[in-house]
Amino acid sequence: METSIRKLRVLLSAYACEPGKGSEPGVGWNVARELSSKVSLWVITRANNRAVIEASDEAWTRDVQWIFWDPPKWITFWKKGRRGVQLFYLIWQWGLVNTVRKEMSSTDFDIIHHITFGKFWIPSRLAGLKKPFVFGPVGGGETTPNALSRTLGLRGKISEIAKAAAILCVRHFPGAGALYRSAAWTFAATPQTEAALANLGVTQMSVLPQSGIRESDLPEAQPKNFTNTPSPLRLVTAARLIHWKGVDLAIEAVAKAAESIDVRLVVLQTGPEMERLKALALRRGIADRVEFKGRLPSLDHVYQEMAASDALIHPALHEAFGQSCLESLALGVPVICLDWAGPGIIVNSETGFAVQPGNRDETIFRLAEAILELAAGPSGKDDFSMRCKQRAFETFGWDKLARSIVAKYQDLSRPEPNSITKF
């Protein structure tokens, strides 16, 4: 007589979880979507997300038990948009334990898993609920390469100091270390975060990419023939204009490459560095080659800009993943980035140019050399576009990410010791 195998009961903590979004909300949503067919899934997320989740027409959402929770307004009345988001997140994290305990009184979860926010700086109190707890994938241990950090502007240096101070505070916050070490397993998004967690005494962990892609999420892009790239060469950058996204390095590299070829740069998004970047393009004499398009109406518009370009240039100084790099590859468009942190994991020699960071002049020179190599046409790589798509969907597909996570759930739910699977 056949007996059915009970699906694992998993509670997923996803502060950020919304349909049709990128970044953290997209991670929460897509991981929940993939897990919903593999486990019995409960998702706890912000009450603020309730309307968009319940309005979704995606059938899988009806297979999930949704739990919506936010702190009382009288505690968090000051939060508006992105203002105060980190403090609000800390309060949300610290306060949801009682709600989870109530749910545990009626449901015997096999696994509790924190997925978003994907930064390790704030540990989850859910690790102390005496259930196998999975943390991540989390980033946040990525730092600017030393040679480049010395040339940051005032705003950038202040930001870097603040990040270092936050990590230092985590190490000395009472009970934080115990929570990190209580996790049955931690997924680190990059080797840099893995090292930071090891410094906190975490040993049960492995590296796992923080995000993914699905073919149906993107419009079909026409394959490109990179052996005969037309003039002018068109590059695009799609990142919030803040110092660590490295858009200034992209502008400097375009200016240097423009000494030899006809090249244009389209800058998408906005941010506090906008005026400084415009001034930089003017000062370097390429204001007519750099177009600032600002924030586009939707992701589809961003994808159209990417697909119409010869490459995405994304020299981020520290990034746990780099979703725009993956989206570019999925569209069949190669990427120029630093061989560092998340983008350095995504991009290889078959799909673009991951350049070794050095000091500022060295890094700009290497980025410019990559632009010139792209313009010259990668010899023997007529299938550049195909290779980009293949790497995106086969290596970083959402389903593959979810299967790795579920494999770890299964390891942790087995009663036998020493059954840890290495990824």
Side-chain angles (χ1 to χ4, degrees):
M1 179 178 178
E2 292 186 0
T3 58
S4 61
I5 299 175
R6 177 180 67 81
K7 285 186 176 181
L8 293 175
R9 291 183 290 257
V10 176
L11 174 67
L12 186 71
S13 174
Y15 171 91
C17 182
E18 295 179 69
K21 295 287 185 70
S23 192
E24 298 271 12
V27 171
W29 184 259
N30 284 288
V31 170
R33 173 164 55 183
E34 294 298 334
L35 292 180
S36 67
S37 63
K38 298 172 175 62
V39 300
S40 293
L41 186 65
W42 284 252
V43 177
I44 185 164
T45 187
R46 284 203 58 197
N48 190 57
N49 297 334
R50 183 169 197 151
V52 292
I53 289 173
E54 292 185 343
S56 171
D57 60 359
E58 296 187 37
W60 67 269
T61 60
R62 296 188 287 276
D63 298 328
V64 174
Q65 301 294 319
W66 296 93
I67 307 166
F68 300 101
W69 183 83
D70 267 346
K73 287 287 186 183
W74 63 268
I75 297 177
T76 59
F77 65 90
W78 39 266
K79 184 185 181 298
K80 187 175 182 180
R82 293 186 63 87
R83 186 184 70 189
V85 66
Q86 295 300 332
L87 178 58
F88 184 91
Y89 171 64
L90 176 61
I91 295 170
W92 189 87
Q93 272 277 82
W94 228 245
L96 61 79
V97 173
N98 288 337
T99 301
V100 172
R101 282 194 178 117
K102 289 177 184 176
E103 197 66 32
M104 289 175 66
S105 67
S106 59
T107 305
D108 185 20
F109 294 112
D110 298 295
I111 300 286
I112 298 176
H113 182 184
H114 169 96
I115 191 72
T116 61
F117 279 157
K119 291 184 174 64
F120 86 93
W121 302 348
I122 300 176
S124 173
R125 291 179 67 204
L126 300 181
L129 292 181
K130 302 188 185 306
K131 287 289 181 180
F133 177 73
V134 176
F135 191 43
V138 288
E142 301 76 28
T143 57
T144 299
N146 288 335
L148 280 172
S149 65
R150 292 191 290 269
T151 61
L152 291 175
L154 179 61
R155 191 197 302 266
K157 287 179 179 176
I158 291 173
S159 176
E160 296 289 314
I161 291 170
K163 180 179 179 179
I167 294 174
L168 187 64
C169 287
V170 163
R171 296 190 65 176
H172 297 286
F173 191 82
L179 287 174
Y180 286 118
R181 293 187 291 274
S182 294
W185 198 261
T186 297
F187 290 117
T190 64
Q192 290 94 335
T193 293
E194 184 181 37
L197 287 162
N199 286 335
L200 293 168
V202 178
T203 58
Q204 301 298 305
M205 62 179 168
S206 58
V207 174
L208 186 70
Q210 196 171 42
S211 191
I213 199 81
R214 183 181 293 99
E215 202 159 355
S216 61
D217 292 342
L218 299 171
E220 181 66 26
Q222 293 300 314
K224 295 177 180 297
N225 180 1
F226 291 104
T227 60
N228 186 24
T229 306
S231 182
L233 190 75
R234 187 179 191 272
L235 306 177
V236 65
T237 179
R240 188 161 174 259
L241 304 186
I242 50 182
H243 85 280
W244 61 268
K245 292 293 186 177
V247 179
D248 59 320
L249 296 175
I251 291 173
E252 292 276 17
V254 167
K256 187 163 189 64
E259 297 171 6
S260 304
I261 62 169
D262 189 4
V263 57
R264 300 286 189 273
L265 175 65
V266 175
V267 179
L268 308 181
Q269 267 286 5
T270 60
E273 294 285 294
M274 171 78 85
E275 295 307 315
R276 190 176 76 85
L277 294 171
K278 287 182 177 179
L280 174 62
L282 183 63
R283 188 169 66 252
R284 296 292 281 112
I286 58 167
D288 60 332
R289 294 176 180 269
V290 181
E291 182 182 3
F292 290 85
K293 287 200 169 185
R295 185 179 179 86
L296 300 186
S298 69
L299 274 175
D300 280 346
H301 288 85
V302 174
Y303 297 152
Q304 288 169 15
E305 289 287 344
M306 284 184 180
S309 299
D310 296 296
L312 173 81
I313 183 166
H314 187 81
L317 303 180
H318 54 78
E319 187 151 42
F321 190 69
Q323 188 71 21
S324 64
C325 296
L326 181 57
E327 289 164 344
S328 183
L329 297 189
L331 290 165
V333 178
V335 176
I336 299 170
C337 65
L338 302 184
D339 189 8
W340 189 254
I345 293 173
I346 296 169
V347 180
N348 61 13
S349 60
E350 300 295 321
T351 58
F353 307 86
V355 307
Q356 189 66 31
N359 63 35
R360 186 174 179 83
D361 288 342
E362 290 168 342
T363 303
I364 291 168
F365 176 81
R366 291 165 187 167
L367 290 169
E369 286 290 295
I371 294 171
L372 294 176
E373 187 175 345
L374 176 70
S379 177
K381 291 189 177 180
D382 293 339
D383 54 353
F384 213 157
S385 181
M386 182 198 71
R387 291 179 184 274
C388 288
K389 292 183 178 184
Q390 186 176 29
R391 179 162 177 81
F393 297 121
E394 292 184 4
T395 305
F396 298 98
W398 280 116
D399 182 66
K400 182 174 183 179
L401 175 64
R403 281 188 279 110
S404 295
I405 291 171
V406 171
K408 182 54 62 184
Y409 291 167
Q410 292 168 342
D411 276 349
L412 298 175
S413 65
R414 292 189 186 113
E416 296 85 9
N418 302 319
S419 60
I420 301 299
T421 297
K422 296 292 184 181
F423 291 104

